[in-house]
């Protein structure tokens, strides 16, 4: 089925040339930016949350502060959070470490 | 003698009501109608929710920068048919023959579910003619997002600064909000806007408004 675009609210079918150009452009995009797998998307989401938690405690590493062992472990556990996660189920069931 | 002037006080102020006027008639006003502000006008609306499309275009027939000083684009239930695609916004000053480059974009994002997940990012786009607004969209058409985008000073011979806000279901599963802006180092009057996904079709409801102004 031919693709279209909507111009000022009016649906207009693409010409064969326009559609071919669009498909080529999209194929080039997808070659460099493949649609991620569900596992990759879940991991991306997890990393966003993990990175936010790490950022919250970045100040612990300031030169005028000495991190406790519990703080060091918390941050290391966050960094290691994605280790061994090879299924969406595992990602969805990750337990975040408790902030000391 | 034809009566073409009513004497003062001939009718009480509330004597003529809507049920005394034939509202089906066309009245050819030649004067200036006052009391009905027309400063914000809906210029075009698009429904691509049920049948997604490759591009939502507003061209020079409705993007008239000599009449409107600002344009507002709103969207609801926005989704990409292909999962995890970004939303692109294009501008043009020659009705889509060329798209404006030299875009510098900054945006902040935050997870609506978890307050700890937030951040910011900057991007310079020098040749592709668009800016990505927001992040990767979910392909679930019942989880589509909302957007508000402002183009101010579109007729002015200055660089343009475009403001946007989007909240949508992220392809990774949770909902995100992006607030951002981009600078277009272009001094021409704009007359064309386009929204697409990175690839594949885009669905949603989109509205273009124009705001008038004398300056």
């Amino acid at each position: 089925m031919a693709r279209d675009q909507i111009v000022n609210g009016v649906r207009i079918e693409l010409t064969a040339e326009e559609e071919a150009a669009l498909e080529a452009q999209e194929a080039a995009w997808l070659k460099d930016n493949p649609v991620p797998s569900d596992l990759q998307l879940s991991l991306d989401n997890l990393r966003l949350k993990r990175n936010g938690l790490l950022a919250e405690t970045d100040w612990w590493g300031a030169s005028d502060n000495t991190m406790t062992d519990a703080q060091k472990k918390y941050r290391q556990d966050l960094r290691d959070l994605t280790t061994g996660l090879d299924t969406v189920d595992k990602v969805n069931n990750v337990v975040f470490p408790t902030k000391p | 003698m034809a009566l073409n002037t009513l004497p003062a006080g001939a009718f009480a102020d509330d004597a003529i009501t809507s049920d005394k006027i034939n509202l089906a008639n066309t009245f050819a006003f030649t004067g200036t109608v006052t009391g009905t502000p027309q400063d914000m006008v809906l210029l075009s609306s698009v429904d691509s929710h049920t049948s997604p499309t490759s591009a939502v275009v507003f061209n020079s027939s409705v993007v008239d920068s000599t009449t409107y000083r600002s344009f507002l684009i709103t969207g609801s239930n926005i989704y990409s048919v292909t999962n995890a695609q970004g939303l692109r916004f294009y501008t043009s000053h020659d009705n889509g023959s060329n798209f404006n480059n030299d875009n510098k974009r900054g945006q902040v994002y935050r997870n609506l579910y978890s307050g700890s997940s937030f951040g910011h990012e900057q991007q310079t786009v020098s040749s592709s003619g668009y800016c990505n607004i927001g992040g990767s969209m979910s392909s679930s058409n019942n989880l589509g997002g909302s957007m508000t985008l402002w183009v101010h000073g579109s007729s002015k011979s200055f660089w343009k600064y475009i403001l946007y806000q989007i909240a949508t279901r992220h392809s990774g599963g949770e909902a995100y909000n992006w607030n951002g802006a981009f600078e277009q180092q272009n001094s021409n009057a704009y007359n064309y806007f386009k929204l697409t996904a990175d690839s594949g079709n885009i669905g949603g409801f989109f509205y273009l408004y124009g705001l008038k102004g004398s300056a």
Side-chain angles (χ1 to χ4, degrees):
Chain A
M1 192 170 115
R3 294 176 68 180
D4 59 37
Q5 60 178 346
I6 300 178
V7 179
N8 304 333
V10 179
R11 199 173 283 271
I12 299 170
E13 203 165 282
L14 298 181
T15 65
E17 291 77 18
E18 287 172 334
E19 186 162 2
L22 179 62
E23 298 290 346
Q25 175 196 311
E26 290 183 345
W29 166 263
L30 289 170
K31 187 178 174 196
D32 293 335
N33 303 274
V35 176
S37 65
D38 288 347
L39 174 62
Q40 190 57 51
L41 288 168
S42 301
L43 281 167
D44 287 350
N45 199 46
L46 183 69
R47 285 194 184 95
L48 278 171
K49 294 172 82 168
R50 186 270 311 275
N51 293 347
L53 291 172
L54 279 170
E56 268 183 0
T57 57
D58 277 347
W59 66 272
W60 290 351
S63 58
D64 59 349
N65 184 63
T66 304
M67 267 197 275
T68 65
D69 287 346
Q71 288 174 332
K72 286 178 188 167
K73 181 174 187 316
Y74 172 72
R75 285 178 60 85
Q76 190 58 50
D77 287 348
L78 283 174
R79 290 193 193 94
D80 294 341
L81 201 63
T82 54
T83 303
L85 299 180
D86 51 11
T87 68
V88 173
D89 267 358
K90 286 183 185 175
V91 175
N92 290 341
N93 289 309
V94 155
V95 178
F96 282 83
T98 304
K99 191 175 175 183
Chain B
M1 186 174 80
L3 180 63
N4 56 17
T5 303
L6 293 173
F11 294 104
D13 287 344
D14 60 353
I16 299 177
T17 56
S18 58
D19 58 357
K20 301 293 190 302
I21 296 174
N22 184 344
L23 296 175
N25 274 1
T26 299
F27 295 89
F29 289 103
T30 55
T32 301
V33 177
T34 61
T36 307
Q38 294 290 318
D39 292 338
M40 184 171 182
V41 180
L42 174 63
L43 299 171
S44 185
S45 58
V46 169
D47 174 358
S48 68
H49 189 259
T50 306
S51 300
T53 187
S54 69
V56 172
V57 173
F58 302 111
N59 70 16
S60 61
S61 296
V62 292
V63 182
D64 175 6
S65 287
T66 59
T67 302
Y68 302 102
R69 63 182 166 81
S70 295
F71 293 94
L72 166 65
I73 299 175
T74 67
S76 60
N77 302 99
I78 305 165
Y79 66 100
S80 56
V81 172
T82 305
N83 196 30
Q85 300 303 299
L87 182 61
R88 296 180 176 185
F89 183 65
Y90 297 76
T91 65
S92 170
H93 59 270
D94 55 12
N95 205 24
S97 296
N98 296 281
F99 295 106
N100 297 320
N101 288 315
D102 299 324
N103 303 320
K104 296 189 187 306
R105 185 205 67 177
Q107 64 179 8
V108 295
Y109 61 88
R110 61 176 170 267
N111 187 324
L112 302 187
Y113 289 21
S114 165
S116 60
S117 182
F118 61 90
H120 61 88
E121 50 199 16
Q122 286 85 30
Q123 177 190 41
T124 296
V125 182
S126 56
S127 60
S128 52
Y130 65 86
C131 259
N132 271 119
I133 55 178
S136 82
M137 295 181 285
S138 165
S139 59
S140 299
N141 66 0
N142 60 343
L143 300 173
S146 296
M147 67 166 278
T148 301
L149 182 146
W150 285 99
V151 182
H152 293 302
S154 50
S155 69
K156 301 294 188 187
S157 55
F158 308 125
W159 289 0
K160 313 295 188 295
Y161 294 88
I162 294 166
L163 313 169
Y164 63 88
Q165 268 207 80
I166 293 186
T168 188
R169 189 81 169 185
H170 187 268
S171 51
E174 296 183 345
Y176 275 77
N177 164 227
W178 289 268
N179 285 342
F182 55 96
E183 175 189 85
Q184 292 199 310
Q185 298 177 1
N186 190 295
S187 302
N188 296 292
Y190 288 178
N191 61 5
Y192 183 104
F193 303 131
K194 180 167 81 168
L195 289 156
T196 73
D198 282 330
S199 75
N201 284 352
I202 184 173
F205 302 95
F206 301 90
Y207 303 90
L208 173 71
Y209 296 87
L211 275 77
K212 291 181 178 173
S214 55

